[in-house]
Structures are given as structure tokens and as C-alpha cells.
PDB file of all heavy atoms in Angstrom:
ATOM      1  N   LEU E  25       0.845  -1.185   0.000  1.00 84.00           N
ATOM      2  CA  LEU E  25       0.000   0.000   0.000  1.00 84.00           C
ATOM      3  C   LEU E  25       0.888   1.246   0.000  1.00 84.00           C
ATOM      4  O   LEU E  25       1.931   1.272   0.661  1.00 84.00           O
ATOM      5  CB  LEU E  25      -0.904   0.031   1.238  1.00 84.00           C
ATOM      6  CG  LEU E  25      -1.991  -1.051   1.317  1.00 84.00           C
ATOM      7  CD1 LEU E  25      -2.679  -0.991   2.678  1.00 84.00           C
ATOM      8  CD2 LEU E  25      -3.001  -0.879   0.191  1.00 84.00           C
ATOM      9  N   PRO E  26       0.509   2.287  -0.748  1.00 89.00           N
ATOM     10  CA  PRO E  26       1.304   3.522  -0.742  1.00 89.00           C
ATOM     11  C   PRO E  26       1.345   4.159   0.647  1.00 89.00           C
ATOM     12  O   PRO E  26       0.374   4.095   1.401  1.00 89.00           O
ATOM     13  CB  PRO E  26       0.564   4.416  -1.746  1.00 89.00           C
ATOM     14  CG  PRO E  26      -0.266   3.488  -2.569  1.00 89.00           C
ATOM     15  CD  PRO E  26      -0.640   2.359  -1.666  1.00 89.00           C
ATOM     16  N   VAL E  27       2.477   4.745   0.965  1.00 89.00           N
ATOM     17  CA  VAL E  27       2.668   5.426   2.244  1.00 89.00           C
ATOM     18  C   VAL E  27       3.050   6.870   1.955  1.00 89.00           C
ATOM     19  O   VAL E  27       4.001   7.131   1.209  1.00 89.00           O
ATOM     20  CB  VAL E  27       3.765   4.740   3.091  1.00 89.00           C
ATOM     21  CG1 VAL E  27       3.986   5.504   4.383  1.00 89.00           C
ATOM     22  CG2 VAL E  27       3.388   3.295   3.376  1.00 89.00           C
ATOM     23  N   SER E  28       2.331   7.810   2.543  1.00 91.00           N
ATOM     24  CA  SER E  28       2.599   9.233   2.350  1.00 91.00           C
ATOM     25  C   SER E  28       2.926   9.847   3.704  1.00 91.00           C
ATOM     26  O   SER E  28       2.159   9.700   4.671  1.00 91.00           O
ATOM     27  CB  SER E  28       1.377   9.927   1.731  1.00 91.00           C
ATOM     28  OG  SER E  28       1.623  11.302   1.557  1.00 91.00           O
ATOM     29  N   VAL E  29       4.080  10.545   3.786  1.00 91.00           N
ATOM     30  CA  VAL E  29       4.524  11.072   5.070  1.00 91.00           C
ATOM     31  C   VAL E  29       5.483  12.235   4.846  1.00 91.00           C
ATOM     32  O   VAL E  29       6.132  12.328   3.799  1.00 91.00           O
ATOM     33  CB  VAL E  29       5.216   9.947   5.885  1.00 91.00           C
ATOM     34  CG1 VAL E  29       6.490   9.487   5.184  1.00 91.00           C
ATOM     35  CG2 VAL E  29       5.496  10.381   7.308  1.00 91.00           C
ATOM     36  N   ASP E  30       5.565  13.135   5.826  1.00 91.00           N
ATOM     37  CA  ASP E  30       6.544  14.224   5.818  1.00 91.00           C
ATOM     38  C   ASP E  30       7.740  13.801   6.665  1.00 91.00           C
ATOM     39  O   ASP E  30       7.566  13.354   7.806  1.00 91.00           O
ATOM     40  CB  ASP E  30       5.940  15.515   6.379  1.00 91.00           C
ATOM     41  CG  ASP E  30       4.845  16.069   5.486  1.00 91.00           C
ATOM     42  OD1 ASP E  30       4.791  15.694   4.303  1.00 91.00           O
ATOM     43  OD2 ASP E  30       4.026  16.877   5.976  1.00 91.00           O
ATOM     44  N   LEU E  31       8.950  13.950   6.104  1.00 91.00           N
ATOM     45  CA  LEU E  31      10.156  13.496   6.785  1.00 91.00           C
ATOM     46  C   LEU E  31      11.171  14.630   6.870  1.00 91.00           C
ATOM     47  O   LEU E  31      11.283  15.447   5.947  1.00 91.00           O
ATOM     48  CB  LEU E  31      10.774  12.309   6.041  1.00 91.00           C
ATOM     49  CG  LEU E  31       9.922  11.036   5.956  1.00 91.00           C
ATOM     50  CD1 LEU E  31      10.581  10.026   5.032  1.00 91.00           C
ATOM     51  CD2 LEU E  31       9.712  10.438   7.342  1.00 91.00           C
ATOM     52  N   LEU E  32      11.913  14.646   7.972  1.00 89.00           N
ATOM     53  CA  LEU E  32      12.945  15.655   8.200  1.00 89.00           C
ATOM     54  C   LEU E  32      14.287  15.117   7.735  1.00 89.00           C
ATOM     55  O   LEU E  32      14.694  14.007   8.095  1.00 89.00           O
ATOM     56  CB  LEU E  32      13.010  16.013   9.681  1.00 89.00           C
ATOM     57  CG  LEU E  32      14.076  17.026  10.109  1.00 89.00           C
ATOM     58  CD1 LEU E  32      13.817  18.385   9.451  1.00 89.00           C
ATOM     59  CD2 LEU E  32      14.106  17.152  11.629  1.00 89.00           C
ATOM     60  N   LEU E  33      14.982  15.914   6.915  1.00 86.00           N
ATOM     61  CA  LEU E  33      16.307  15.521   6.454  1.00 86.00           C
ATOM     62  C   LEU E  33      17.326  15.642   7.575  1.00 86.00           C
ATOM     63  O   LEU E  33      17.199  16.488   8.468  1.00 86.00           O
ATOM     64  CB  LEU E  33      16.735  16.387   5.273  1.00 86.00           C
ATOM     65  CG  LEU E  33      16.124  16.061   3.914  1.00 86.00           C
ATOM     66  CD1 LEU E  33      16.557  17.091   2.885  1.00 86.00           C
ATOM     67  CD2 LEU E  33      16.501  14.667   3.461  1.00 86.00           C
ATOM     68  N   ALA E  34      18.359  14.840   7.512  1.00 81.00           N
ATOM     69  CA  ALA E  34      19.401  14.840   8.532  1.00 81.00           C
ATOM     70  C   ALA E  34      20.595  15.671   8.083  1.00 81.00           C
ATOM     71  O   ALA E  34      20.795  15.914   6.895  1.00 81.00           O
ATOM     72  CB  ALA E  34      19.852  13.411   8.816  1.00 81.00           C
ATOM     73  N   GLY E  35      21.387  16.110   9.090  1.00 69.00           N
ATOM     74  CA  GLY E  35      22.668  16.745   8.809  1.00 69.00           C
ATOM     75  C   GLY E  35      22.596  18.095   8.147  1.00 69.00           C
ATOM     76  O   GLY E  35      23.379  18.380   7.237  1.00 69.00           O
ATOM     77  N   GLU E  36      21.686  18.960   8.573  1.00 56.00           N
ATOM     78  CA  GLU E  36      21.591  20.285   7.975  1.00 56.00           C
ATOM     79  C   GLU E  36      22.728  21.172   8.460  1.00 56.00           C
ATOM     80  O   GLU E  36      22.977  21.304   9.655  1.00 56.00           O
ATOM     81  CB  GLU E  36      20.241  20.932   8.325  1.00 56.00           C
ATOM     82  CG  GLU E  36      19.031  20.203   7.766  1.00 56.00           C
ATOM     83  CD  GLU E  36      19.027  20.207   6.255  1.00 56.00           C
ATOM     84  OE1 GLU E  36      19.580  21.151   5.678  1.00 56.00           O
ATOM     85  OE2 GLU E  36      18.485  19.278   5.661  1.00 56.00           O
ATOM     86  N   LEU E  37      23.422  21.797   7.525  1.00 47.00           N
ATOM     87  CA  LEU E  37      24.527  22.688   7.891  1.00 47.00           C
ATOM     88  C   LEU E  37      24.031  24.050   8.355  1.00 47.00           C
ATOM     89  O   LEU E  37      24.566  24.652   9.275  1.00 47.00           O
ATOM     90  CB  LEU E  37      25.453  22.876   6.680  1.00 47.00           C
ATOM     91  CG  LEU E  37      26.397  21.711   6.349  1.00 47.00           C
ATOM     92  CD1 LEU E  37      27.210  22.051   5.115  1.00 47.00           C
ATOM     93  CD2 LEU E  37      27.297  21.403   7.518  1.00 47.00           C
ATOM     94  N   SER E  38      22.990  24.546   7.705  1.00 49.00           N
ATOM     95  CA  SER E  38      22.531  25.900   7.975  1.00 49.00           C
ATOM     96  C   SER E  38      21.742  26.013   9.259  1.00 49.00           C
ATOM     97  O   SER E  38      21.516  27.115   9.764  1.00 49.00           O
ATOM     98  CB  SER E  38      21.664  26.397   6.800  1.00 49.00           C
ATOM     99  OG  SER E  38      20.528  25.553   6.661  1.00 49.00           O
ATOM    100  N   GLY E  39      21.294  24.890   9.791  1.00 53.00           N
ATOM    101  CA  GLY E  39      20.476  24.942  10.988  1.00 53.00           C
ATOM    102  C   GLY E  39      19.006  25.083  10.689  1.00 53.00           C
ATOM    103  O   GLY E  39      18.187  24.957  11.597  1.00 53.00           O
ATOM    104  N   ASN E  40      18.645  25.372   9.460  1.00 67.00           N
ATOM    105  CA  ASN E  40      17.236  25.455   9.072  1.00 67.00           C
ATOM    106  C   ASN E  40      16.761  24.069   8.667  1.00 67.00           C
ATOM    107  O   ASN E  40      17.327  23.449   7.777  1.00 67.00           O
ATOM    108  CB  ASN E  40      17.051  26.437   7.919  1.00 67.00           C
ATOM    109  CG  ASN E  40      17.397  27.862   8.320  1.00 67.00           C
ATOM    110  OD1 ASN E  40      17.165  28.265   9.460  1.00 67.00           O
ATOM    111  ND2 ASN E  40      17.983  28.617   7.405  1.00 67.00           N
ATOM    112  N   ALA E  41      15.705  23.620   9.326  1.00 75.00           N
ATOM    113  CA  ALA E  41      15.198  22.282   9.047  1.00 75.00           C
ATOM    114  C   ALA E  41      14.652  22.212   7.629  1.00 75.00           C
ATOM    115  O   ALA E  41      13.981  23.129   7.157  1.00 75.00           O
ATOM    116  CB  ALA E  41      14.114  21.926  10.061  1.00 75.00           C
ATOM    117  N   ARG E  42      14.949  21.119   6.960  1.00 83.00           N
ATOM    118  CA  ARG E  42      14.418  20.880   5.611  1.00 83.00           C
ATOM    119  C   ARG E  42      13.556  19.632   5.646  1.00 83.00           C
ATOM    120  O   ARG E  42      13.991  18.575   6.079  1.00 83.00           O
ATOM    121  CB  ARG E  42      15.549  20.732   4.589  1.00 83.00           C
ATOM    122  CG  ARG E  42      16.320  22.027   4.361  1.00 83.00           C
ATOM    123  CD  ARG E  42      17.343  21.876   3.258  1.00 83.00           C
ATOM    124  NE  ARG E  42      16.701  21.531   1.998  1.00 83.00           N
ATOM    125  CZ  ARG E  42      17.077  20.492   1.230  1.00 83.00           C
ATOM    126  NH1 ARG E  42      18.058  19.713   1.623  1.00 83.00           N
ATOM    127  NH2 ARG E  42      16.470  20.241   0.096  1.00 83.00           N
ATOM    128  N   TRP E  43      12.332  19.816   5.164  1.00 88.00           N
ATOM    129  CA  TRP E  43      11.356  18.741   5.180  1.00 88.00           C
ATOM    130  C   TRP E  43      11.057  18.287   3.760  1.00 88.00           C
ATOM    131  O   TRP E  43      11.037  19.080   2.822  1.00 88.00           O
ATOM    132  CB  TRP E  43      10.062  19.211   5.846  1.00 88.00           C
ATOM    133  CG  TRP E  43      10.175  19.412   7.325  1.00 88.00           C
ATOM    134  CD1 TRP E  43      10.643  20.520   7.967  1.00 88.00           C
ATOM    135  CD2 TRP E  43       9.818  18.476   8.335  1.00 88.00           C
ATOM    136  NE1 TRP E  43      10.616  20.351   9.326  1.00 88.00           N
ATOM    137  CE2 TRP E  43      10.095  19.089   9.588  1.00 88.00           C
ATOM    138  CE3 TRP E  43       9.302  17.176   8.327  1.00 88.00           C
ATOM    139  CZ2 TRP E  43       9.869  18.441  10.800  1.00 88.00           C
ATOM    140  CZ3 TRP E  43       9.065  16.539   9.538  1.00 88.00           C
ATOM    141  CH2 TRP E  43       9.349  17.175  10.750  1.00 88.00           C
ATOM    142  N   LEU E  44      10.821  16.992   3.662  1.00 91.00           N
ATOM    143  CA  LEU E  44      10.416  16.415   2.380  1.00 91.00           C
ATOM    144  C   LEU E  44       9.096  15.679   2.555  1.00 91.00           C
ATOM    145  O   LEU E  44       8.887  14.996   3.559  1.00 91.00           O
ATOM    146  CB  LEU E  44      11.455  15.417   1.862  1.00 91.00           C
ATOM    147  CG  LEU E  44      12.861  15.939   1.552  1.00 91.00           C
ATOM    148  CD1 LEU E  44      13.721  14.801   1.032  1.00 91.00           C
ATOM    149  CD2 LEU E  44      12.817  17.076   0.555  1.00 91.00           C
ATOM    150  N   HIS E  45       8.216  15.862   1.585  1.00 92.00           N
ATOM    151  CA  HIS E  45       7.020  15.025   1.539  1.00 92.00           C
ATOM    152  C   HIS E  45       7.365  13.804   0.704  1.00 92.00           C
ATOM    153  O   HIS E  45       7.777  13.918  -0.455  1.00 92.00           O
ATOM    154  CB  HIS E  45       5.834  15.768   0.933  1.00 92.00           C
ATOM    155  CG  HIS E  45       4.591  14.934   0.869  1.00 92.00           C
ATOM    156  ND1 HIS E  45       3.858  14.619   1.991  1.00 92.00           N
ATOM    157  CD2 HIS E  45       3.969  14.324  -0.179  1.00 92.00           C
ATOM    158  CE1 HIS E  45       2.836  13.866   1.650  1.00 92.00           C
ATOM    159  NE2 HIS E  45       2.880  13.672   0.345  1.00 92.00           N
ATOM    160  N   ALA E  46       7.204  12.618   1.292  1.00 92.00           N
ATOM    161  CA  ALA E  46       7.616  11.381   0.643  1.00 92.00           C
ATOM    162  C   ALA E  46       6.404  10.496   0.368  1.00 92.00           C
ATOM    163  O   ALA E  46       5.501  10.373   1.212  1.00 92.00           O
ATOM    164  CB  ALA E  46       8.613  10.625   1.524  1.00 92.00           C
ATOM    165  N   LEU E  47       6.408   9.907  -0.816  1.00 94.00           N
ATOM    166  CA  LEU E  47       5.393   8.919  -1.190  1.00 94.00           C
ATOM    167  C   LEU E  47       6.122   7.622  -1.518  1.00 94.00           C
ATOM    168  O   LEU E  47       6.910   7.562  -2.467  1.00 94.00           O
ATOM    169  CB  LEU E  47       4.582   9.400  -2.394  1.00 94.00           C
ATOM    170  CG  LEU E  47       3.536   8.422  -2.932  1.00 94.00           C
ATOM    171  CD1 LEU E  47       2.476   8.136  -1.875  1.00 94.00           C
ATOM    172  CD2 LEU E  47       2.888   8.962  -4.201  1.00 94.00           C
ATOM    173  N   PHE E  48       5.872   6.587  -0.724  1.00 94.00           N
ATOM    174  CA  PHE E  48       6.493   5.286  -0.906  1.00 94.00           C
ATOM    175  C   PHE E  48       5.448   4.296  -1.454  1.00 94.00           C
ATOM    176  O   PHE E  48       4.347   4.186  -0.911  1.00 94.00           O
ATOM    177  CB  PHE E  48       7.043   4.732   0.418  1.00 94.00           C
ATOM    178  CG  PHE E  48       8.081   5.603   1.062  1.00 94.00           C
ATOM    179  CD1 PHE E  48       8.195   5.682   2.440  1.00 94.00           C
ATOM    180  CD2 PHE E  48       8.953   6.355   0.289  1.00 94.00           C
ATOM    181  CE1 PHE E  48       9.146   6.477   3.043  1.00 94.00           C
ATOM    182  CE2 PHE E  48       9.911   7.163   0.871  1.00 94.00           C
ATOM    183  CZ  PHE E  48      10.010   7.225   2.255  1.00 94.00           C
ATOM    184  N   SER E  49       5.806   3.579  -2.508  1.00 92.00           N
ATOM    185  CA  SER E  49       4.924   2.554  -3.049  1.00 92.00           C
ATOM    186  C   SER E  49       5.777   1.401  -3.576  1.00 92.00           C
ATOM    187  O   SER E  49       6.878   1.608  -4.097  1.00 92.00           O
ATOM    188  CB  SER E  49       4.044   3.118  -4.166  1.00 92.00           C
ATOM    189  OG  SER E  49       4.829   3.711  -5.181  1.00 92.00           O
ATOM    190  N   SER E  50       5.272   0.194  -3.440  1.00 91.00           N
ATOM    191  CA  SER E  50       6.028  -1.001  -3.829  1.00 91.00           C
ATOM    192  C   SER E  50       5.894  -1.261  -5.328  1.00 91.00           C
ATOM    193  O   SER E  50       4.836  -1.054  -5.916  1.00 91.00           O
ATOM    194  CB  SER E  50       5.552  -2.218  -3.042  1.00 91.00           C
ATOM    195  OG  SER E  50       4.185  -2.492  -3.330  1.00 91.00           O
ATOM    196  N   VAL E  51       6.969  -1.715  -5.942  1.00 90.00           N
ATOM    197  CA  VAL E  51       6.998  -2.091  -7.356  1.00 90.00           C
ATOM    198  C   VAL E  51       7.842  -3.354  -7.477  1.00 90.00           C
ATOM    199  O   VAL E  51       8.622  -3.692  -6.583  1.00 90.00           O
ATOM    200  CB  VAL E  51       7.597  -0.977  -8.241  1.00 90.00           C
ATOM    201  CG1 VAL E  51       6.720   0.266  -8.230  1.00 90.00           C
ATOM    202  CG2 VAL E  51       9.012  -0.624  -7.788  1.00 90.00           C
ATOM    203  N   ARG E  52       7.676  -4.059  -8.592  1.00 87.00           N
ATOM    204  CA  ARG E  52       8.483  -5.245  -8.865  1.00 87.00           C
ATOM    205  C   ARG E  52       9.399  -4.977 -10.047  1.00 87.00           C
ATOM    206  O   ARG E  52       8.982  -4.379 -11.038  1.00 87.00           O
ATOM    207  CB  ARG E  52       7.583  -6.454  -9.169  1.00 87.00           C
ATOM    208  CG  ARG E  52       6.858  -7.005  -7.956  1.00 87.00           C
ATOM    209  CD  ARG E  52       6.151  -8.307  -8.283  1.00 87.00           C
ATOM    210  NE  ARG E  52       5.414  -8.813  -7.142  1.00 87.00           N
ATOM    211  CZ  ARG E  52       5.943  -9.584  -6.198  1.00 87.00           C
ATOM    212  NH1 ARG E  52       7.218  -9.946  -6.293  1.00 87.00           N
ATOM    213  NH2 ARG E  52       5.220 -10.012  -5.179  1.00 87.00           N
ATOM    214  N   ASN E  53      10.634  -5.434  -9.935  1.00 83.00           N
ATOM    215  CA  ASN E  53      11.554  -5.305 -11.051  1.00 83.00           C
ATOM    216  C   ASN E  53      11.375  -6.470 -12.019  1.00 83.00           C
ATOM    217  O   ASN E  53      10.497  -7.318 -11.843  1.00 83.00           O
ATOM    218  CB  ASN E  53      13.007  -5.204 -10.566  1.00 83.00           C
ATOM    219  CG  ASN E  53      13.443  -6.445  -9.803  1.00 83.00           C
ATOM    220  OD1 ASN E  53      12.742  -7.470  -9.778  1.00 83.00           O
ATOM    221  ND2 ASN E  53      14.606  -6.386  -9.190  1.00 83.00           N
ATOM    222  N   GLU E  54      12.223  -6.532 -13.042  1.00 81.00           N
ATOM    223  CA  GLU E  54      12.074  -7.574 -14.055  1.00 81.00           C
ATOM    224  C   GLU E  54      12.334  -8.977 -13.508  1.00 81.00           C
ATOM    225  O   GLU E  54      11.910  -9.970 -14.112  1.00 81.00           O
ATOM    226  CB  GLU E  54      13.033  -7.310 -15.223  1.00 81.00           C
ATOM    227  CG  GLU E  54      14.502  -7.248 -14.857  1.00 81.00           C
ATOM    228  CD  GLU E  54      14.922  -5.877 -14.384  1.00 81.00           C
ATOM    229  OE1 GLU E  54      14.038  -5.020 -14.169  1.00 81.00           O
ATOM    230  OE2 GLU E  54      16.143  -5.651 -14.214  1.00 81.00           O
ATOM    231  N   ASP E  55      13.016  -9.074 -12.351  1.00 82.00           N
ATOM    232  CA  ASP E  55      13.274 -10.374 -11.739  1.00 82.00           C
ATOM    233  C   ASP E  55      12.188 -10.781 -10.743  1.00 82.00           C
ATOM    234  O   ASP E  55      12.262 -11.852 -10.140  1.00 82.00           O
ATOM    235  CB  ASP E  55      14.631 -10.379 -11.027  1.00 82.00           C
ATOM    236  CG  ASP E  55      15.781 -10.160 -12.004  1.00 82.00           C
ATOM    237  OD1 ASP E  55      15.672 -10.660 -13.135  1.00 82.00           O
ATOM    238  OD2 ASP E  55      16.767  -9.499 -11.629  1.00 82.00           O
ATOM    239  N   GLY E  56      11.190  -9.903 -10.561  1.00 82.00           N
ATOM    240  CA  GLY E  56      10.114 -10.198  -9.624  1.00 82.00           C
ATOM    241  C   GLY E  56      10.390  -9.769  -8.200  1.00 82.00           C
ATOM    242  O   GLY E  56       9.578 -10.041  -7.305  1.00 82.00           O
ATOM    243  N   ASP E  57      11.521  -9.111  -7.937  1.00 85.00           N
ATOM    244  CA  ASP E  57      11.854  -8.661  -6.585  1.00 85.00           C
ATOM    245  C   ASP E  57      11.070  -7.395  -6.252  1.00 85.00           C
ATOM    246  O   ASP E  57      10.899  -6.510  -7.088  1.00 85.00           O
ATOM    247  CB  ASP E  57      13.350  -8.383  -6.460  1.00 85.00           C
ATOM    248  CG  ASP E  57      14.189  -9.618  -6.749  1.00 85.00           C
ATOM    249  OD1 ASP E  57      13.738 -10.711  -6.388  1.00 85.00           O
ATOM    250  OD2 ASP E  57      15.287  -9.476  -7.330  1.00 85.00           O
ATOM    251  N   LEU E  58      10.604  -7.312  -5.000  1.00 89.00           N
ATOM    252  CA  LEU E  58       9.866  -6.138  -4.552  1.00 89.00           C
ATOM    253  C   LEU E  58      10.825  -5.016  -4.167  1.00 89.00           C
ATOM    254  O   LEU E  58      11.763  -5.215  -3.390  1.00 89.00           O
ATOM    255  CB  LEU E  58       8.985  -6.498  -3.354  1.00 89.00           C
ATOM    256  CG  LEU E  58       7.626  -7.113  -3.672  1.00 89.00           C
ATOM    257  CD1 LEU E  58       6.948  -7.598  -2.399  1.00 89.00           C
ATOM    258  CD2 LEU E  58       6.735  -6.106  -4.386  1.00 89.00           C
ATOM    259  N   LEU E  59      10.588  -3.845  -4.724  1.00 91.00           N
ATOM    260  CA  LEU E  59      11.349  -2.641  -4.405  1.00 91.00           C
ATOM    261  C   LEU E  59      10.371  -1.550  -3.990  1.00 91.00           C
ATOM    262  O   LEU E  59       9.153  -1.718  -4.076  1.00 91.00           O
ATOM    263  CB  LEU E  59      12.168  -2.188  -5.616  1.00 91.00           C
ATOM    264  CG  LEU E  59      13.115  -3.214  -6.239  1.00 91.00           C
ATOM    265  CD1 LEU E  59      13.747  -2.654  -7.502  1.00 91.00           C
ATOM    266  CD2 LEU E  59      14.188  -3.644  -5.252  1.00 91.00           C
ATOM    267  N   VAL E  60      10.919  -0.429  -3.546  1.00 92.00           N
ATOM    268  CA  VAL E  60      10.088   0.712  -3.155  1.00 92.00           C
ATOM    269  C   VAL E  60      10.421   1.891  -4.060  1.00 92.00           C
ATOM    270  O   VAL E  60      11.588   2.283  -4.192  1.00 92.00           O
ATOM    271  CB  VAL E  60      10.314   1.108  -1.683  1.00 92.00           C
ATOM    272  CG1 VAL E  60       9.451   2.313  -1.318  1.00 92.00           C
ATOM    273  CG2 VAL E  60       9.990  -0.057  -0.765  1.00 92.00           C
ATOM    274  N   GLU E  61       9.379   2.417  -4.705  1.00 92.00           N
ATOM    275  CA  GLU E  61       9.529   3.642  -5.482  1.00 92.00           C
ATOM    276  C   GLU E  61       9.289   4.829  -4.549  1.00 92.00           C
ATOM    277  O   GLU E  61       8.244   4.911  -3.901  1.00 92.00           O
ATOM    278  CB  GLU E  61       8.535   3.667  -6.630  1.00 92.00           C
ATOM    279  CG  GLU E  61       8.623   4.928  -7.473  1.00 92.00           C
ATOM    280  CD  GLU E  61       7.501   5.027  -8.487  1.00 92.00           C
ATOM    281  OE1 GLU E  61       6.333   4.828  -8.087  1.00 92.00           O
ATOM    282  OE2 GLU E  61       7.787   5.299  -9.665  1.00 92.00           O
ATOM    283  N   CYS E  62      10.276   5.725  -4.474  1.00 93.00           N
ATOM    284  CA  CYS E  62      10.206   6.869  -3.575  1.00 93.00           C
ATOM    285  C   CYS E  62      10.106   8.156  -4.400  1.00 93.00           C
ATOM    286  O   CYS E  62      10.966   8.420  -5.239  1.00 93.00           O
ATOM    287  CB  CYS E  62      11.438   6.937  -2.673  1.00 93.00           C
ATOM    288  SG  CYS E  62      11.748   5.408  -1.748  1.00 93.00           S
ATOM    289  N   ILE E  63       9.049   8.909  -4.163  1.00 93.00           N
ATOM    290  CA  ILE E  63       8.856  10.203  -4.814  1.00 93.00           C
ATOM    291  C   ILE E  63       8.903  11.268  -3.734  1.00 93.00           C
ATOM    292  O   ILE E  63       8.132  11.220  -2.765  1.00 93.00           O
ATOM    293  CB  ILE E  63       7.523  10.249  -5.576  1.00 93.00           C
ATOM    294  CG1 ILE E  63       7.492   9.138  -6.640  1.00 93.00           C
ATOM    295  CG2 ILE E  63       7.321  11.610  -6.225  1.00 93.00           C
ATOM    296  CD1 ILE E  63       6.196   9.074  -7.403  1.00 93.00           C
TER     297      ILE E  63
END
């Protein structure tokens, strides 16, 4: 199932927090292995 969440990036030099909205969904490659597509 797709997962949608806001995540905080690590290791900011400037001290200003940087946030990313992430959408995770599972996909299969040509070998049939499950991977995660991250947008």
C-alpha cells in the first residue's frame, strides 16, 4: 500500500530544518523482486 509522510532531512549545515514530503509505493523489477519507489 502507498505510504505518504513528511520526513525531516538529517545533517543540515545551515540549521534550518528541511522537510520532504515522501510517497512510498512497492513495485516489482524484471526479476520479480519487490522494491520501493520513492517520490
Side-chain angles (χ1 to χ4, degrees):
L25 293 173
V27 177
S28 179
V29 65
D30 293 341
L31 297 172
L32 178 63
L33 283 175
E36 296 296 332
L37 284 179
S38 61
N40 295 325
R42 292 185 61 231
W43 289 84
L44 298 181
H45 180 73
L47 177 62
F48 300 147
S49 55
S50 62
V51 295
R52 288 188 182 273
N53 61 10
E54 59 275 9
D55 297 324
D57 300 324
L58 276 172
L59 305 175
V60 179
E61 179 188 48
C62 306
I63 301 178

